[in-house]
Amino acid sequence: MRKILIIGMGAGHPEHITIQAVNALQRVDVLFVTDKGADKEDLARLRREICARYVPERALRTLDIPDPQRDRDPADYHAAVATWHEQRARIYEALFTEQLGENQCGAFLVWGDPSLYDSTLRIVEQIAARGAVAFEYEVIPGITSIQALTASHRIALNQIGAPVEITTGRRLAAQPQPLCTDTVVLLDGDCAFKSLTEEGLRIYWGAYLGTADEILLSGPLGEISLTIQQTRAAARQRKGWIMDTYLIRKPAGPPR
Ligand SMILES: C[S@@+](CC[C@H](N)C(=O)[O-])C[C@H]1O[C@@H](n2cnc3c(N)ncnc32)[C@H](O)[C@@H]1O
């Protein structure tokens, strides 16, 4: 039976990768690569470094998967994403059939962890459900950008007994204030934190976490918001792309 491994590669540092992931890489015949966007080169460099460091005895066969065009500003966001997943599923399915022998192992090295804002798992599930190509799949966890953020700031993700919300910049921008005691925001191209006005909020912000370019800023949101916006814009211009994540923290009430 063909095997597909969906491996979390960590969020930027080559040593984020787990021993379980390193062992899984030893079984891989073909590595499927789905990088896209302005950060493509840097992501590819980290992936090459991981393979060279942890599978030094052989060159892994790597196949670039073309990404179908996606409507970035659709009227119906969910329908557009579903169509895009469907197109990707068809491309992946053809590659599994044509590029993997009956008993071979293919893998995706997914940025961070495959469970967090990543479509690989959903697409692979979709292919399995269609049943046109028979395969088994396994998920190997990785360090997420959220863990990289909290570790670099040396903070806990939650306050005592309190919940945490994980959301996107787009959703945060659509709500007047953070709903949860602690809100982690990913995929924010527009500094959605700048519209938050509630008293007492703190922000822990990190860009290029885990990499040599890592930038960390933290403090009362009202005091530091502009500095983060300026730092982000300058870093993005310097490097050509940016990946940043942040935690908005409200003062906690008494533990429940
Ligand atoms: C498509 S999501 C993928 C998340 C990934 N699966 C994970 O486990 O972190 C991409 C978003 O993750 C965040 N991110 C990923 N890596 C990061 C890093 N090294 N530094 C800062 N943010 C990062 C950014 O918010 C970025 O927009």
Side-chain angles (χ1 to χ4, degrees), residues 109-145:
L109 266 178
V110 173
W111 193 259
D113 181 80
S115 69
L116 185 67
Y117 291 123
D118 186 90
S119 51
T120 313
L121 264 176
R122 275 182 212 100
I123 293 166
V124 169
E125 271 166 21
Q126 214 168 314
I127 303 168
R130 284 175 11 169
V133 52
F135 65 96
E136 290 173 339
Y137 64 99
E138 250 176 67
V139 180
I140 290 121
I143 300 287
T144 67
S145 49

PDB file of all heavy atoms in Angstrom, residues 109-145:
ATOM      1  N   LEU A 109       6.343  17.992   3.919  1.00  0.00           N
ATOM      2  CA  LEU A 109       6.911  18.666   5.091  1.00  0.00           C
ATOM      3  C   LEU A 109       6.120  19.946   5.268  1.00  0.00           C
ATOM      4  O   LEU A 109       6.251  20.886   4.480  1.00  0.00           O
ATOM      5  CB  LEU A 109       8.385  19.003   4.844  1.00  0.00           C
ATOM      6  CG  LEU A 109       9.436  18.017   5.328  1.00  0.00           C
ATOM      7  CD1 LEU A 109      10.831  18.513   4.954  1.00  0.00           C
ATOM      8  CD2 LEU A 109       9.357  17.734   6.818  1.00  0.00           C
ATOM      9  N   VAL A 110       5.261  19.964   6.275  1.00  0.00           N
ATOM     10  CA  VAL A 110       4.339  21.092   6.450  1.00  0.00           C
ATOM     11  C   VAL A 110       4.926  22.080   7.453  1.00  0.00           C
ATOM     12  O   VAL A 110       5.413  21.692   8.521  1.00  0.00           O
ATOM     13  CB  VAL A 110       2.976  20.564   6.962  1.00  0.00           C
ATOM     14  CG1 VAL A 110       2.049  21.719   7.318  1.00  0.00           C
ATOM     15  CG2 VAL A 110       2.338  19.674   5.918  1.00  0.00           C
ATOM     16  N   TRP A 111       4.850  23.351   7.119  1.00  0.00           N
ATOM     17  CA  TRP A 111       5.362  24.410   7.994  1.00  0.00           C
ATOM     18  C   TRP A 111       4.654  24.360   9.356  1.00  0.00           C
ATOM     19  O   TRP A 111       3.431  24.252   9.405  1.00  0.00           O
ATOM     20  CB  TRP A 111       5.118  25.763   7.321  1.00  0.00           C
ATOM     21  CG  TRP A 111       5.859  26.894   7.958  1.00  0.00           C
ATOM     22  CD1 TRP A 111       5.337  27.812   8.809  1.00  0.00           C
ATOM     23  CD2 TRP A 111       7.237  27.208   7.793  1.00  0.00           C
ATOM     24  NE1 TRP A 111       6.327  28.693   9.186  1.00  0.00           N
ATOM     25  CE2 TRP A 111       7.491  28.346   8.585  1.00  0.00           C
ATOM     26  CE3 TRP A 111       8.282  26.632   7.063  1.00  0.00           C
ATOM     27  CZ2 TRP A 111       8.760  28.937   8.660  1.00  0.00           C
ATOM     28  CZ3 TRP A 111       9.532  27.216   7.132  1.00  0.00           C
ATOM     29  CH2 TRP A 111       9.759  28.350   7.924  1.00  0.00           C
ATOM     30  N   GLY A 112       5.419  24.421  10.433  1.00  0.00           N
ATOM     31  CA  GLY A 112       4.816  24.379  11.775  1.00  0.00           C
ATOM     32  C   GLY A 112       4.247  23.005  12.037  1.00  0.00           C
ATOM     33  O   GLY A 112       4.948  21.986  11.914  1.00  0.00           O
ATOM     34  N   ASP A 113       2.960  22.962  12.348  1.00  0.00           N
ATOM     35  CA  ASP A 113       2.253  21.691  12.566  1.00  0.00           C
ATOM     36  C   ASP A 113       1.093  21.590  11.571  1.00  0.00           C
ATOM     37  O   ASP A 113       0.422  22.596  11.308  1.00  0.00           O
ATOM     38  CB  ASP A 113       1.706  21.649  14.007  1.00  0.00           C
ATOM     39  CG  ASP A 113       0.997  20.344  14.264  1.00  0.00           C
ATOM     40  OD1 ASP A 113       1.687  19.335  14.536  1.00  0.00           O
ATOM     41  OD2 ASP A 113      -0.252  20.299  14.165  1.00  0.00           O
ATOM     42  N   PRO A 114       0.840  20.384  11.053  1.00  0.00           N
ATOM     43  CA  PRO A 114      -0.210  20.249  10.034  1.00  0.00           C
ATOM     44  C   PRO A 114      -1.620  20.546  10.533  1.00  0.00           C
ATOM     45  O   PRO A 114      -2.538  20.724   9.732  1.00  0.00           O
ATOM     46  CB  PRO A 114      -0.107  18.768   9.617  1.00  0.00           C
ATOM     47  CG  PRO A 114       1.211  18.296  10.101  1.00  0.00           C
ATOM     48  CD  PRO A 114       1.587  19.135  11.271  1.00  0.00           C
ATOM     49  N   SER A 115      -1.817  20.600  11.855  1.00  0.00           N
ATOM     50  CA  SER A 115      -3.182  20.814  12.370  1.00  0.00           C
ATOM     51  C   SER A 115      -3.577  22.288  12.417  1.00  0.00           C
ATOM     52  O   SER A 115      -4.723  22.610  12.718  1.00  0.00           O
ATOM     53  CB  SER A 115      -3.299  20.232  13.786  1.00  0.00           C
ATOM     54  OG  SER A 115      -2.531  21.018  14.685  1.00  0.00           O
ATOM     55  N   LEU A 116      -2.632  23.182  12.173  1.00  0.00           N
ATOM     56  CA  LEU A 116      -2.919  24.606  12.409  1.00  0.00           C
ATOM     57  C   LEU A 116      -2.896  25.406  11.105  1.00  0.00           C
ATOM     58  O   LEU A 116      -1.827  25.589  10.496  1.00  0.00           O
ATOM     59  CB  LEU A 116      -1.874  25.172  13.388  1.00  0.00           C
ATOM     60  CG  LEU A 116      -2.109  26.610  13.837  1.00  0.00           C
ATOM     61  CD1 LEU A 116      -3.362  26.734  14.702  1.00  0.00           C
ATOM     62  CD2 LEU A 116      -0.889  27.144  14.598  1.00  0.00           C
ATOM     63  N   TYR A 117      -4.061  25.907  10.697  1.00  0.00           N
ATOM     64  CA  TYR A 117      -4.184  26.727   9.491  1.00  0.00           C
ATOM     65  C   TYR A 117      -3.347  26.183   8.332  1.00  0.00           C
ATOM     66  O   TYR A 117      -2.540  26.906   7.748  1.00  0.00           O
ATOM     67  CB  TYR A 117      -3.808  28.185   9.781  1.00  0.00           C
ATOM     68  CG  TYR A 117      -4.810  28.890  10.661  1.00  0.00           C
ATOM     69  CD1 TYR A 117      -4.421  29.471  11.859  1.00  0.00           C
ATOM     70  CD2 TYR A 117      -6.148  28.964  10.303  1.00  0.00           C
ATOM     71  CE1 TYR A 117      -5.346  30.102  12.684  1.00  0.00           C
ATOM     72  CE2 TYR A 117      -7.069  29.587  11.119  1.00  0.00           C
ATOM     73  CZ  TYR A 117      -6.669  30.157  12.298  1.00  0.00           C
ATOM     74  OH  TYR A 117      -7.588  30.778  13.104  1.00  0.00           O
ATOM     75  N   ASP A 118      -3.571  24.920   8.028  1.00  0.00           N
ATOM     76  CA  ASP A 118      -2.894  24.318   6.889  1.00  0.00           C
ATOM     77  C   ASP A 118      -3.884  23.380   6.202  1.00  0.00           C
ATOM     78  O   ASP A 118      -4.623  22.673   6.886  1.00  0.00           O
ATOM     79  CB  ASP A 118      -1.651  23.543   7.349  1.00  0.00           C
ATOM     80  CG  ASP A 118      -0.868  23.052   6.154  1.00  0.00           C
ATOM     81  OD1 ASP A 118       0.013  23.786   5.682  1.00  0.00           O
ATOM     82  OD2 ASP A 118      -1.167  21.940   5.655  1.00  0.00           O
ATOM     83  N   SER A 119      -3.887  23.381   4.885  1.00  0.00           N
ATOM     84  CA  SER A 119      -4.927  22.627   4.183  1.00  0.00           C
ATOM     85  C   SER A 119      -4.495  21.215   3.782  1.00  0.00           C
ATOM     86  O   SER A 119      -5.312  20.446   3.277  1.00  0.00           O
ATOM     87  CB  SER A 119      -5.364  23.406   2.943  1.00  0.00           C
ATOM     88  OG  SER A 119      -4.226  23.770   2.201  1.00  0.00           O
ATOM     89  N   THR A 120      -3.216  20.852   4.015  1.00  0.00           N
ATOM     90  CA  THR A 120      -2.738  19.553   3.520  1.00  0.00           C
ATOM     91  C   THR A 120      -3.608  18.396   4.020  1.00  0.00           C
ATOM     92  O   THR A 120      -4.007  17.515   3.249  1.00  0.00           O
ATOM     93  CB  THR A 120      -1.268  19.330   3.952  1.00  0.00           C
ATOM     94  OG1 THR A 120      -0.526  20.510   3.677  1.00  0.00           O
ATOM     95  CG2 THR A 120      -0.652  18.157   3.230  1.00  0.00           C
ATOM     96  N   LEU A 121      -3.911  18.403   5.325  1.00  0.00           N
ATOM     97  CA  LEU A 121      -4.692  17.288   5.887  1.00  0.00           C
ATOM     98  C   LEU A 121      -6.068  17.181   5.238  1.00  0.00           C
ATOM     99  O   LEU A 121      -6.535  16.085   4.936  1.00  0.00           O
ATOM    100  CB  LEU A 121      -4.878  17.505   7.389  1.00  0.00           C
ATOM    101  CG  LEU A 121      -3.876  16.790   8.276  1.00  0.00           C
ATOM    102  CD1 LEU A 121      -4.097  17.165   9.725  1.00  0.00           C
ATOM    103  CD2 LEU A 121      -4.060  15.285   8.107  1.00  0.00           C
ATOM    104  N   ARG A 122      -6.727  18.328   5.057  1.00  0.00           N
ATOM    105  CA  ARG A 122      -8.074  18.296   4.472  1.00  0.00           C
ATOM    106  C   ARG A 122      -8.017  17.748   3.047  1.00  0.00           C
ATOM    107  O   ARG A 122      -8.876  16.986   2.619  1.00  0.00           O
ATOM    108  CB  ARG A 122      -8.682  19.704   4.457  1.00  0.00           C
ATOM    109  CG  ARG A 122      -9.347  20.022   5.763  1.00  0.00           C
ATOM    110  CD  ARG A 122     -10.002  21.393   5.785  1.00  0.00           C
ATOM    111  NE  ARG A 122      -9.912  21.870   7.143  1.00  0.00           N
ATOM    112  CZ  ARG A 122      -9.026  22.724   7.606  1.00  0.00           C
ATOM    113  NH1 ARG A 122      -8.159  23.265   6.788  1.00  0.00           N
ATOM    114  NH2 ARG A 122      -8.990  23.055   8.874  1.00  0.00           N
ATOM    115  N   ILE A 123      -6.976  18.136   2.311  1.00  0.00           N
ATOM    116  CA  ILE A 123      -6.875  17.695   0.917  1.00  0.00           C
ATOM    117  C   ILE A 123      -6.585  16.195   0.855  1.00  0.00           C
ATOM    118  O   ILE A 123      -7.201  15.457   0.080  1.00  0.00           O
ATOM    119  CB  ILE A 123      -5.800  18.519   0.182  1.00  0.00           C
ATOM    120  CG1 ILE A 123      -6.291  19.966   0.089  1.00  0.00           C
ATOM    121  CG2 ILE A 123      -5.519  17.963  -1.194  1.00  0.00           C
ATOM    122  CD1 ILE A 123      -5.236  20.957  -0.293  1.00  0.00           C
ATOM    123  N   VAL A 124      -5.675  15.739   1.727  1.00  0.00           N
ATOM    124  CA  VAL A 124      -5.345  14.307   1.726  1.00  0.00           C
ATOM    125  C   VAL A 124      -6.572  13.483   2.148  1.00  0.00           C
ATOM    126  O   VAL A 124      -6.866  12.442   1.558  1.00  0.00           O
ATOM    127  CB  VAL A 124      -4.109  14.041   2.627  1.00  0.00           C
ATOM    128  CG1 VAL A 124      -3.905  12.559   2.861  1.00  0.00           C
ATOM    129  CG2 VAL A 124      -2.854  14.641   1.988  1.00  0.00           C
ATOM    130  N   GLU A 125      -7.324  13.975   3.132  1.00  0.00           N
ATOM    131  CA  GLU A 125      -8.575  13.288   3.539  1.00  0.00           C
ATOM    132  C   GLU A 125      -9.535  13.187   2.356  1.00  0.00           C
ATOM    133  O   GLU A 125     -10.186  12.169   2.140  1.00  0.00           O
ATOM    134  CB  GLU A 125      -9.311  14.112   4.614  1.00  0.00           C
ATOM    135  CG  GLU A 125      -8.919  13.805   6.033  1.00  0.00           C
ATOM    136  CD  GLU A 125      -9.435  14.892   6.986  1.00  0.00           C
ATOM    137  OE1 GLU A 125     -10.386  15.632   6.642  1.00  0.00           O
ATOM    138  OE2 GLU A 125      -8.852  15.012   8.064  1.00  0.00           O
ATOM    139  N   GLN A 126      -9.628  14.282   1.599  1.00  0.00           N
ATOM    140  CA  GLN A 126     -10.531  14.324   0.443  1.00  0.00           C
ATOM    141  C   GLN A 126     -10.130  13.269  -0.598  1.00  0.00           C
ATOM    142  O   GLN A 126     -10.988  12.580  -1.142  1.00  0.00           O
ATOM    143  CB  GLN A 126     -10.417  15.717  -0.192  1.00  0.00           C
ATOM    144  CG  GLN A 126     -11.684  16.247  -0.777  1.00  0.00           C
ATOM    145  CD  GLN A 126     -11.518  17.739  -1.104  1.00  0.00           C
ATOM    146  OE1 GLN A 126     -11.009  18.513  -0.299  1.00  0.00           O
ATOM    147  NE2 GLN A 126     -11.922  18.139  -2.275  1.00  0.00           N
ATOM    148  N   ILE A 127      -8.818  13.135  -0.835  1.00  0.00           N
ATOM    149  CA  ILE A 127      -8.349  12.145  -1.826  1.00  0.00           C
ATOM    150  C   ILE A 127      -8.666  10.733  -1.329  1.00  0.00           C
ATOM    151  O   ILE A 127      -9.131   9.882  -2.074  1.00  0.00           O
ATOM    152  CB  ILE A 127      -6.825  12.283  -2.066  1.00  0.00           C
ATOM    153  CG1 ILE A 127      -6.493  13.701  -2.508  1.00  0.00           C
ATOM    154  CG2 ILE A 127      -6.340  11.275  -3.092  1.00  0.00           C
ATOM    155  CD1 ILE A 127      -5.008  14.008  -2.487  1.00  0.00           C
ATOM    156  N   ALA A 128      -8.426  10.517  -0.017  1.00  0.00           N
ATOM    157  CA  ALA A 128      -8.699   9.182   0.548  1.00  0.00           C
ATOM    158  C   ALA A 128     -10.181   8.849   0.409  1.00  0.00           C
ATOM    159  O   ALA A 128     -10.550   7.723   0.053  1.00  0.00           O
ATOM    160  CB  ALA A 128      -8.259   9.140   2.014  1.00  0.00           C
ATOM    161  N   ALA A 129     -11.046   9.846   0.645  1.00  0.00           N
ATOM    162  CA  ALA A 129     -12.494   9.607   0.591  1.00  0.00           C
ATOM    163  C   ALA A 129     -12.946   9.274  -0.834  1.00  0.00           C
ATOM    164  O   ALA A 129     -13.882   8.509  -1.031  1.00  0.00           O
ATOM    165  CB  ALA A 129     -13.243  10.828   1.102  1.00  0.00           C
ATOM    166  N   ARG A 130     -12.276   9.855  -1.828  1.00  0.00           N
ATOM    167  CA  ARG A 130     -12.678   9.568  -3.223  1.00  0.00           C
ATOM    168  C   ARG A 130     -12.332   8.154  -3.635  1.00  0.00           C
ATOM    169  O   ARG A 130     -12.971   7.586  -4.510  1.00  0.00           O
ATOM    170  CB  ARG A 130     -11.994  10.549  -4.168  1.00  0.00           C
ATOM    171  CG  ARG A 130     -12.696  11.863  -4.050  1.00  0.00           C
ATOM    172  CD  ARG A 130     -12.212  12.999  -4.732  1.00  0.00           C
ATOM    173  NE  ARG A 130     -11.201  12.922  -5.740  1.00  0.00           N
ATOM    174  CZ  ARG A 130     -10.942  13.962  -6.485  1.00  0.00           C
ATOM    175  NH1 ARG A 130     -11.661  15.039  -6.333  1.00  0.00           N
ATOM    176  NH2 ARG A 130      -9.974  13.909  -7.358  1.00  0.00           N
ATOM    177  N   GLY A 131     -11.266   7.603  -3.038  1.00  0.00           N
ATOM    178  CA  GLY A 131     -10.949   6.191  -3.248  1.00  0.00           C
ATOM    179  C   GLY A 131     -10.355   5.842  -4.602  1.00  0.00           C
ATOM    180  O   GLY A 131     -10.221   4.667  -4.926  1.00  0.00           O
ATOM    181  N   ALA A 132      -9.969   6.837  -5.412  1.00  0.00           N
ATOM    182  CA  ALA A 132      -9.413   6.513  -6.737  1.00  0.00           C
ATOM    183  C   ALA A 132      -7.998   5.952  -6.629  1.00  0.00           C
ATOM    184  O   ALA A 132      -7.566   5.186  -7.484  1.00  0.00           O
ATOM    185  CB  ALA A 132      -9.416   7.762  -7.612  1.00  0.00           C
ATOM    186  N   VAL A 133      -7.261   6.348  -5.582  1.00  0.00           N
ATOM    187  CA  VAL A 133      -5.925   5.779  -5.348  1.00  0.00           C
ATOM    188  C   VAL A 133      -5.879   5.300  -3.890  1.00  0.00           C
ATOM    189  O   VAL A 133      -6.302   6.023  -2.981  1.00  0.00           O
ATOM    190  CB  VAL A 133      -4.803   6.812  -5.678  1.00  0.00           C
ATOM    191  CG1 VAL A 133      -5.003   8.135  -4.974  1.00  0.00           C
ATOM    192  CG2 VAL A 133      -3.421   6.268  -5.340  1.00  0.00           C
ATOM    193  N   ALA A 134      -5.387   4.075  -3.710  1.00  0.00           N
ATOM    194  CA  ALA A 134      -5.377   3.511  -2.348  1.00  0.00           C
ATOM    195  C   ALA A 134      -4.086   3.912  -1.637  1.00  0.00           C
ATOM    196  O   ALA A 134      -2.995   3.764  -2.193  1.00  0.00           O
ATOM    197  CB  ALA A 134      -5.467   1.992  -2.424  1.00  0.00           C
ATOM    198  N   PHE A 135      -4.212   4.460  -0.440  1.00  0.00           N
ATOM    199  CA  PHE A 135      -3.024   4.792   0.344  1.00  0.00           C
ATOM    200  C   PHE A 135      -3.413   4.916   1.819  1.00  0.00           C
ATOM    201  O   PHE A 135      -4.591   5.102   2.159  1.00  0.00           O
ATOM    202  CB  PHE A 135      -2.367   6.097  -0.152  1.00  0.00           C
ATOM    203  CG  PHE A 135      -3.224   7.324   0.031  1.00  0.00           C
ATOM    204  CD1 PHE A 135      -3.076   8.145   1.142  1.00  0.00           C
ATOM    205  CD2 PHE A 135      -4.187   7.660  -0.912  1.00  0.00           C
ATOM    206  CE1 PHE A 135      -3.871   9.276   1.306  1.00  0.00           C
ATOM    207  CE2 PHE A 135      -4.988   8.793  -0.753  1.00  0.00           C
ATOM    208  CZ  PHE A 135      -4.832   9.604   0.354  1.00  0.00           C
ATOM    209  N   GLU A 136      -2.387   4.789   2.677  1.00  0.00           N
ATOM    210  CA  GLU A 136      -2.584   5.071   4.106  1.00  0.00           C
ATOM    211  C   GLU A 136      -1.858   6.368   4.407  1.00  0.00           C
ATOM    212  O   GLU A 136      -0.885   6.698   3.726  1.00  0.00           O
ATOM    213  CB  GLU A 136      -1.939   3.963   4.944  1.00  0.00           C
ATOM    214  CG  GLU A 136      -2.679   2.647   4.849  1.00  0.00           C
ATOM    215  CD  GLU A 136      -1.922   1.534   5.550  1.00  0.00           C
ATOM    216  OE1 GLU A 136      -0.697   1.658   5.764  1.00  0.00           O
ATOM    217  OE2 GLU A 136      -2.584   0.533   5.867  1.00  0.00           O
ATOM    218  N   TYR A 137      -2.319   7.098   5.426  1.00  0.00           N
ATOM    219  CA  TYR A 137      -1.556   8.306   5.768  1.00  0.00           C
ATOM    220  C   TYR A 137      -1.406   8.452   7.268  1.00  0.00           C
ATOM    221  O   TYR A 137      -2.212   7.955   8.049  1.00  0.00           O
ATOM    222  CB  TYR A 137      -2.150   9.547   5.111  1.00  0.00           C
ATOM    223  CG  TYR A 137      -3.542   9.936   5.539  1.00  0.00           C
ATOM    224  CD1 TYR A 137      -3.739  10.938   6.487  1.00  0.00           C
ATOM    225  CD2 TYR A 137      -4.657   9.334   4.983  1.00  0.00           C
ATOM    226  CE1 TYR A 137      -5.013  11.326   6.855  1.00  0.00           C
ATOM    227  CE2 TYR A 137      -5.936   9.711   5.356  1.00  0.00           C
ATOM    228  CZ  TYR A 137      -6.109  10.701   6.293  1.00  0.00           C
ATOM    229  OH  TYR A 137      -7.366  11.073   6.665  1.00  0.00           O
ATOM    230  N   GLU A 138      -0.300   9.138   7.615  1.00  0.00           N
ATOM    231  CA  GLU A 138       0.071   9.346   9.022  1.00  0.00           C
ATOM    232  C   GLU A 138       0.424  10.813   9.210  1.00  0.00           C
ATOM    233  O   GLU A 138       0.982  11.427   8.296  1.00  0.00           O
ATOM    234  CB  GLU A 138       1.379   8.585   9.290  1.00  0.00           C
ATOM    235  CG  GLU A 138       1.275   7.377  10.160  1.00  0.00           C
ATOM    236  CD  GLU A 138       2.649   6.699  10.216  1.00  0.00           C
ATOM    237  OE1 GLU A 138       3.596   7.275  10.783  1.00  0.00           O
ATOM    238  OE2 GLU A 138       2.769   5.577   9.677  1.00  0.00           O
ATOM    239  N   VAL A 139       0.170  11.325  10.398  1.00  0.00           N
ATOM    240  CA  VAL A 139       0.522  12.718  10.700  1.00  0.00           C
ATOM    241  C   VAL A 139       1.585  12.730  11.800  1.00  0.00           C
ATOM    242  O   VAL A 139       1.432  12.057  12.817  1.00  0.00           O
ATOM    243  CB  VAL A 139      -0.727  13.499  11.175  1.00  0.00           C
ATOM    244  CG1 VAL A 139      -0.366  14.946  11.496  1.00  0.00           C
ATOM    245  CG2 VAL A 139      -1.819  13.446  10.121  1.00  0.00           C
ATOM    246  N   ILE A 140       2.642  13.478  11.567  1.00  0.00           N
ATOM    247  CA  ILE A 140       3.706  13.593  12.581  1.00  0.00           C
ATOM    248  C   ILE A 140       3.753  15.060  13.023  1.00  0.00           C
ATOM    249  O   ILE A 140       3.955  15.955  12.207  1.00  0.00           O
ATOM    250  CB  ILE A 140       5.063  13.123  12.007  1.00  0.00           C
ATOM    251  CG1 ILE A 140       4.978  11.598  11.820  1.00  0.00           C
ATOM    252  CG2 ILE A 140       6.212  13.435  12.954  1.00  0.00           C
ATOM    253  CD1 ILE A 140       5.188  11.121  10.480  1.00  0.00           C
ATOM    254  N   PRO A 141       3.512  15.309  14.305  1.00  0.00           N
ATOM    255  CA  PRO A 141       3.340  16.700  14.754  1.00  0.00           C
ATOM    256  C   PRO A 141       4.628  17.529  14.713  1.00  0.00           C
ATOM    257  O   PRO A 141       5.729  16.986  14.734  1.00  0.00           O
ATOM    258  CB  PRO A 141       2.858  16.545  16.198  1.00  0.00           C
ATOM    259  CG  PRO A 141       3.316  15.195  16.636  1.00  0.00           C
ATOM    260  CD  PRO A 141       3.369  14.343  15.412  1.00  0.00           C
ATOM    261  N   GLY A 142       4.432  18.833  14.665  1.00  0.00           N
ATOM    262  CA  GLY A 142       5.577  19.753  14.658  1.00  0.00           C
ATOM    263  C   GLY A 142       5.343  20.909  15.622  1.00  0.00           C
ATOM    264  O   GLY A 142       4.248  21.090  16.145  1.00  0.00           O
ATOM    265  N   ILE A 143       6.388  21.690  15.830  1.00  0.00           N
ATOM    266  CA  ILE A 143       6.279  22.890  16.683  1.00  0.00           C
ATOM    267  C   ILE A 143       5.554  23.976  15.878  1.00  0.00           C
ATOM    268  O   ILE A 143       5.972  24.302  14.768  1.00  0.00           O
ATOM    269  CB  ILE A 143       7.689  23.408  17.051  1.00  0.00           C
ATOM    270  CG1 ILE A 143       8.475  22.350  17.819  1.00  0.00           C
ATOM    271  CG2 ILE A 143       7.627  24.731  17.807  1.00  0.00           C
ATOM    272  CD1 ILE A 143       8.035  22.116  19.228  1.00  0.00           C
ATOM    273  N   THR A 144       4.488  24.528  16.435  1.00  0.00           N
ATOM    274  CA  THR A 144       3.741  25.574  15.725  1.00  0.00           C
ATOM    275  C   THR A 144       4.380  26.951  15.947  1.00  0.00           C
ATOM    276  O   THR A 144       5.169  27.145  16.882  1.00  0.00           O
ATOM    277  CB  THR A 144       2.291  25.663  16.244  1.00  0.00           C
ATOM    278  OG1 THR A 144       2.346  26.124  17.594  1.00  0.00           O
ATOM    279  CG2 THR A 144       1.565  24.346  16.167  1.00  0.00           C
ATOM    280  N   SER A 145       3.934  27.902  15.124  1.00  0.00           N
ATOM    281  CA  SER A 145       4.408  29.281  15.322  1.00  0.00           C
ATOM    282  C   SER A 145       3.922  29.815  16.676  1.00  0.00           C
ATOM    283  O   SER A 145       4.556  30.696  17.257  1.00  0.00           O
ATOM    284  CB  SER A 145       3.923  30.174  14.184  1.00  0.00           C
ATOM    285  OG  SER A 145       2.550  30.001  13.959  1.00  0.00           O
TER     286      SER A 145
END
